[in-house]
Amino acid sequence: MNTVGPGVREIRVRQTGGAFRVIYVAKFANAVYVLHCFQKKTQATAKTDLDLAQRRYRDLVKELG
């Protein structure tokens, strides 16, 4: 998911109850950071979900320096 940030990945889970996504980054030492998790309601990922993950990624990069 380079649209969110470099090194960001996505886990997709499909169940009878719906489709779920976990957006995370594991390129930093000592931790895997989950940026956002949500249930998909439509075929495309909502812009609000991508914007939130991007904002959290930027905040994380800033915090880790």
Side-chain angles (χ1 to χ4, degrees):
M1 296 210 67
N2 287 331
T3 57
V4 174
V8 175
R9 302 284 187 244
E10 175 183 43
I11 297 173
R12 299 175 182 189
V13 179
R14 291 181 192 250
Q15 296 183 337
T16 56
F20 301 87
R21 298 289 187 268
V22 178
I23 300 174
Y24 70 97
V25 62
K27 74 174 195 170
F28 301 108
N30 302 323
V32 173
Y33 296 93
V34 175
L35 302 173
H36 189 40
C37 323
F38 55 96
Q39 181 175 8
K40 294 219 17 168
K41 303 286 185 180
T42 63
Q43 189 77 355
T45 302
K47 184 175 179 351
T48 55
D49 290 313
L50 292 175
D51 289 346
L52 178 59
Q54 287 173 335
R55 186 170 57 250
R56 289 177 176 171
Y57 180 82
R58 282 193 309 269
D59 291 347
L60 176 64
V61 169
K62 190 180 210 180
E63 183 179 319
L64 295 177

